[in-house]
């Protein structure tokens, strides 16, 4: 008897017929291959109508929750009166740039683009232009986007750590050679490279918290050391706050650490799901990118009115006194609940995170660099998440990926998720 394909199955078949792999971004094709047709607040709904509490959060944007009504309304209002005109200054863009400068310690001026990759590309080009140097330093485990200068050494297999690990064919060998990859939190390694090659280093770029491998917290001395070394050697310090910007505070994580870089990149949560990114930093550096300046910066959709309006609305909501306490309290509730569970079940596991970010590694501490995370039991990590998905809790079933809580989540959502985690972990112990 012929069986009818489910709605999900039909969508997957059509997508895979016309789109390579059926998806338009790496890491979107996972097992189980679910098709979500609705996203609302803290929840996702699949094509069969099943509800999931969403902690994947599209890798981070919907900080206020999916389809936030105030954000949607402000974006729609902006679009009702103007779309892209592609010439001249715009009122909302100027307001947003001012707001960001008021909040972000490193922001004296702002340039808008559409994605985190564009922002880090521009930051590195600018750093090379102002220093006249070619090499950059990045850290093992940090992801900064898909372009040749940085697409390497993120979640590397053990035998690739300590050597170039490019993530795509077709990357320019010269770009790969000019990127030096060092261990995170290892100031001595950076000092040594700066001592030997400091006059060739244009920039050091880092995720302040490498959230692309979950959560590895930086040592204050490490970040301060990078600030001192880059100043001493006249290199540009770039904090990639694409994940942490707005999520950990309107001033980014740099405000919490009290260390100010020369340039900062932001994207993801800054417009709560609308495509917007920003390169912010010292005015004397960003001014190189002014029209007619020596560094070219452009984009047809840069500072798109819908995204800019969405970002202004997002900032207003985050400025309300209860917003960050709610996000951080729920993060603590989740991490505390998981920690108690790990102890109760006697598991070899570690709860990590900061603010609204959390995850459960299946390994013992310490966790100070990517090299430590090679001890994580990747199979159990993914099995655990697939079991949670069966219970309606969506954590991306990919090794080392972090989870995000939004303003739309409630204590009841966290408790429901903890109960599901308990049931799954009981079957592990
Ligand atoms: C820290 C960081 N920087 C840059 C990027 C690239 O951003 P996008 O995917 O918007 O190009 C990402 C994306 O995950 C990221 O996590």
């Amino acid at each position: 008897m012929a069986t009818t394909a489910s709605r999900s199955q039909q969508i997957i078949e059509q997508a895979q017929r016309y789109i390579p792999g059926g998806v338009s971004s790496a890491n979107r094709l996972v097992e189980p291959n679910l098709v979500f047709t609705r996203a609302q607040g803290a929840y996702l709904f699949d094509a069969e109508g099943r509800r999931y509490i969403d902690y994947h959060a599209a890798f981070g944007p919907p900080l206020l929750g999916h389809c936030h009504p105030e954000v949607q309304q402000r974006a729609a209002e902006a679009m009702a009166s103007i779309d892209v005109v592609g010439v001249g200054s715009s009122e909302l863009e100027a307001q947003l740039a001012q707001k960001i400068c008021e909040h972000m310690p490193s922001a004296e001026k702002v340039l808008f683009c559409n994605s985190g990759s564009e922002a880090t590309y521009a930051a590195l080009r600018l750093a090379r232009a102002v220093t006249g140097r070619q090499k950059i330093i990045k850290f093992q485990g940090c992801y900064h986007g898909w372009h040749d200068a940085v697409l390497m050494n993120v979640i590397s297999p053990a035998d690739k750590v300590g050597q170039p690990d490019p993530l795509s064919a077709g990357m320019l060998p010269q770009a790969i050679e000019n990127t030096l990859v060092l261990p995170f939190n290892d100031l001595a390694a950076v000092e040594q490279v700066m001592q030997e090659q400091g006059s060739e280093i244009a920039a050091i770029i880092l995720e302040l918290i490498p959230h692309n491998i979950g959560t590895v917290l930086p040592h204050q001395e490490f970040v301060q050391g990078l600030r001192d070394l880059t100043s001493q050697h006249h290199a540009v310090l770039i904090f990639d706050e694409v994940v942490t910007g707005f999520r950990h505070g309107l001033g980014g994580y740099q405000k919490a650490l009290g260390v100010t870089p020369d340039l900062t990149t932001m994207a993801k949560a800054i417009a709560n799901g609308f495509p917007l990114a920003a390169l912010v930093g010292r005015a004397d550096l960003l001014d190189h990118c002014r029209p007619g300046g020596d560094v070219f910066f452009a984009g047809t959709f840069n500072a798109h009115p819908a995204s800019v309006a969405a970002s202004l609305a997002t900032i207003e909501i985050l400025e309300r006194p209860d917003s960050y306490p709610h996000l951080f309290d729920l993060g603590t509730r989740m991490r505390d609940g998981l920690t108690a569970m790990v102890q109760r079940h006697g598991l070899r596991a570690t709860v990590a995170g900061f603010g609204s970010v959390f995850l459960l590694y299946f390994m013992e501490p310490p966790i100070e660099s990517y090299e430590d995370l090679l001890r994580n039991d990747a199979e159990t990590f993914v099995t655990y998440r697939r079991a949670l998905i069966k219970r309606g809790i969506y954590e991306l079933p990919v090794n080392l990926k972090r989870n995000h809580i939004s303003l739309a989540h409630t204590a009841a959502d966290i408790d429901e998720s903890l109960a599901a985690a308990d049931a799954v972990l009981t079957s592990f112990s």
Side-chain angles (χ1 to χ4, degrees), residues 59-362:
F59 296 98
L63 176 58
L64 310 178
H66 290 284
C67 297
H68 192 281
E70 284 175 73
V71 176
Q72 305 281 94
Q73 192 191 333
R74 290 278 288 281
E77 278 167 15
M79 289 299 287
S81 57
I82 192 166
D83 55 5
V84 279
V85 295
V87 66
S89 300
S90 80
E91 188 180 11
L92 292 181
E93 184 183 353
Q95 284 172 13
L96 179 59
Q98 181 178 342
K99 271 279 177 202
I100 291 176
C101 288
E102 284 165 5
H103 282 296
M104 285 294 289
S106 63
E108 292 172 0
K109 285 202 175 166
V110 182
L111 282 163
F112 294 109
C113 49
N114 303 293
S115 70
S117 299
E118 289 173 56
T120 58
Y121 186 98
L124 291 169
R125 173 185 276 174
L126 176 56
R128 285 181 164 136
V130 297
T131 59
R133 304 170 183 174
Q134 293 189 14
K135 291 185 182 169
I136 63 161
I137 293 176
K138 83 176 274 288
F139 296 93
Q140 177 68 52
C142 291
Y143 177 70
H144 302 293
W146 45 252
H147 52 93
D148 290 10
V150 288
L151 185 61
M152 62 193 87
N153 296 82
V154 186
I155 299 184
S156 303
D159 61 340
K160 290 283 176 61
V161 172
Q163 55 174 299
D165 179 25
L167 294 180
S168 177
M171 289 167 62
L172 277 178
Q174 207 195 354
I176 300 167
E177 283 157 23
N178 276 302
T179 299
L180 311 179
V181 182
L182 298 178
F184 193 78
N185 269 334
D186 187 346
L187 189 58
V190 187
E191 274 166 353
Q192 193 184 335
V193 170
M194 291 306 274
Q195 213 165 28
E196 291 163 5
Q197 306 179 56
S199 62
E200 296 170 68
I201 305 291
I204 298 182
I205 184 167
L206 69 153
E207 281 184 79
L208 267 188
I209 302 177
H211 277 313
N212 277 284
I213 47 173
T215 298
V216 176
L217 291 175
H219 297 161
Q220 176 83 27
E221 318 79 74
F222 174 68
V223 182
Q224 186 58 53
L226 298 181
R227 175 65 286 179
D228 297 342
L229 281 169
T230 43
S231 300
Q232 204 181 319
H233 292 271
H234 307 290
V236 177
L237 182 61
I238 306 168
F239 287 172
D240 181 350
E241 296 230 40
V242 162
V243 175
T244 53
F246 285 18
R247 179 162 289 280
H248 295 337
L250 281 163
Y253 192 61
Q254 59 190 254
K255 188 157 187 184
L257 271 185
V259 182
T260 303
D262 302 302
L263 298 174
T264 301
T265 52
M266 302 161 77
K268 295 201 194 279
I270 67 172
N272 202 58
F274 284 77
L276 184 72
L279 168 61
V280 314
R282 278 169 40 196
D284 63 317
L285 297 184
L286 263 75
D287 279 338
H288 284 262
C289 300
R290 65 189 308 140
D294 60 341
V295 179
F296 190 79
F297 183 90
T300 303
F301 291 115
N302 285 2
H304 192 284
S307 300
V308 169
S311 183
L312 280 164
T314 300
I315 293 174
E316 275 172 38
I317 294 164
L318 290 171
E319 281 172 341
R320 294 175 191 157
D322 292 344
S323 295
Y324 282 106
H326 179 82
L327 282 165
F328 277 55
D329 286 351
L330 290 189
T332 303
R333 189 182 186 97
M334 181 66 99
R335 286 187 297 272
D336 287 353
L338 288 170
T339 303
M341 224 173 272
V342 165
Q343 282 163 2
R344 202 166 57 244
H345 291 292
L347 292 166
R348 193 183 287 257
T350 305
V351 180
F354 178 85
S356 57
V357 171
F358 71 95
L359 80 158
L360 185 59
Y361 292 116
F362 288 89

